[in-house]
Amino acid sequence: MARRKKIYEGKAKTLYEGPEPGTIVQYFKDDATAFNAEKKDVIEGKGVLNNLLSEYFMLGLGQIGVPTHFLKRLNMREQLVRSCEIVPLEVIVRNYAAGSMSKRLGIDEGTQLPRPIVEYCYKDDSLGDPLVTEEHIAAFGWASQQDMDDILSLALRVNDFLSGMMLAVGIRLVDFKIEIGRVYDGDFQRLVVADEISPDSCRLWDIESGQKLDKDVFRRDLGSLTDAYSEVARRLGVMPNNPPAPSKPTLVN
Ligand code: UDP
């Protein structure tokens, strides 16, 4: 088989040219990085879990009419997505204070926010993805006002969808990050949810115990990351823990 053309290698995923024009294969690696790649490790099984979970979330979003780049999962580590031009922003939605917001504003982690707060960071690893305002975004032409209206509405729809889905399985969606892509249909551009949605890019806390089920387990050395991600997958029914019981009648003594 001919070698595929690698387009880009990121921290957690590698992108290859897809089989048809306008498509890309996203390969989910087991690499975990944090603090702008100062902390690194290989966590066996992380890529498989994120591939399955991201597929699950993207398909669900598609079903409620939120456009995404997702086309189909190809195998345990790869999915086919529409190629798009990534808006150079990390769009963060927060429901509870945590992480950088808690540090920046001195709010205890876990404090419920008065309403979901959307933040934008400029995607540039060499600068550490700095927080920017809509003024910067407009002035530097990273996105138009119309794009920003659409991005805000997409981000809030994703938040409602994910929050509800998580609540149903006893998990609090504290915050998350999404990336937005532009796809072109002739002269028209559409914005879609791109990249991935997984416990790498969300904060997920068990509602009862407060246990962290996301990448903070790795960032803060809180235990096994695969156990945490598997628990999310198991609760959502993406990777059932207990295989279905055999349907054959069993002999009762
Ligand atoms: N996040 C992410 N990628 C980044 C930065 C943040 O996926 O490069 C996610 C992070 O997992 C969390 C949310 O965005 O769910 C808010 O992160 P925060 O700004 O608190 O960053 P951190 O605490 O990681 O510095």
Side-chain angles (χ1 to χ4, degrees):
M1 201 171 103
R3 253 182 98 76
R4 285 182 305 190
K5 187 166 167 218
K6 192 193 278 188
I7 298 174
Y8 174 79
E9 176 146 12
K11 286 174 278 195
K13 292 188 295 297
T14 306
L15 306 184
Y16 297 94
E17 223 168 49
E20 325 241 324
T23 64
I24 283 184
V25 174
Q26 279 198 154
Y27 176 95
F28 286 74
K29 302 193 284 183
D30 280 343
D31 300 14
T33 62
F35 313 119
N36 213 358
E38 273 168 40
K39 184 177 163 90
K40 285 186 202 168
D41 208 346
V42 176
I43 313 275
E44 212 186 313
K46 180 175 87 82
V48 169
L49 285 158
N50 281 353
N51 185 26
L52 292 173
L53 283 164
S54 199
E55 172 196 23
Y56 183 73
F57 297 134
M58 295 284 185
L59 281 177
L61 285 168
Q63 277 165 7
I64 63 157
V66 174
T68 80
H69 72 159
F70 183 84
L71 293 171
K72 68 172 177 180
R73 185 164 63 80
L74 298 172
N75 54 50
M76 292 307 273
R77 283 198 183 266
E78 296 178 324
Q79 49 183 246
L80 189 69
V81 300
R82 276 194 73 162
S83 112
C84 46
E85 192 181 290
I86 297 287
V87 175
L89 297 172
E90 303 209 321
V91 180
I92 293 173
V93 184
R94 301 179 183 272
N95 299 305
Y96 294 80
S100 68
M101 176 189 241
S102 289
K103 274 205 206 102
R104 204 178 334 115
L105 301 180
I107 307 174
D108 285 343
E109 286 211 314
T111 307
Q112 186 166 19
L113 300 171
R115 62 182 174 85
I117 294 179
V118 182
E119 294 177 347
Y120 306 100
C121 293
Y122 179 54
K123 260 174 74 68
D124 185 326
D125 281 342
S126 66
L127 301 173
D129 300 335
L131 188 68
V132 292
T133 68
E134 292 195 48
E135 278 289 285
H136 299 100
I137 297 168
F140 296 123
W142 296 326
S144 67
Q145 190 52 55
Q146 178 64 57
D147 288 342
M148 290 313 290
D149 293 347
D150 293 348
I151 289 173
L152 180 64
S153 119
L154 280 175
L156 293 175
R157 289 192 72 193
V158 173
N159 186 43
D160 284 347
F161 175 76
L162 286 182
S163 293
M165 183 178 258
M166 291 300 172
L167 187 62
V169 295
I171 295 174
R172 169 164 301 148
L173 178 66
V174 173
D175 59 28
F176 65 94
K177 183 257 320 185
I178 50 170
E179 298 193 14
I180 303 292
R182 297 176 202 283
V183 294
Y184 294 94
D185 288 320
D187 286 345
F188 295 96
Q189 73 138 44
R190 280 188 308 125
L191 295 179
V192 299
V193 177
D195 190 51
E196 71 177 275
I197 301 179
S198 73
D200 267 7
S201 51
C202 301
R203 281 199 170 90
L204 304 170
W205 296 357
D206 179 76
I207 288 179
E208 291 286 310
S209 66
Q211 190 194 351
K212 295 186 189 350
L213 300 170
D214 56 58
K215 205 164 110 181
D216 276 347
V217 171
F218 170 71
R219 292 189 190 99
R220 304 180 189 186
D221 294 318
L222 299 175
S224 158
L225 194 73
T226 19
D227 284 359
Y229 289 19
S230 302
E231 176 63 13
V232 176
R234 189 193 61 77
R235 288 198 202 181
L236 291 168
V238 173
M239 199 187 65
N241 185 12
N242 306 313
S247 54
K248 276 192 292 187
T250 47
L251 186 65
V252 179
N253 293 318

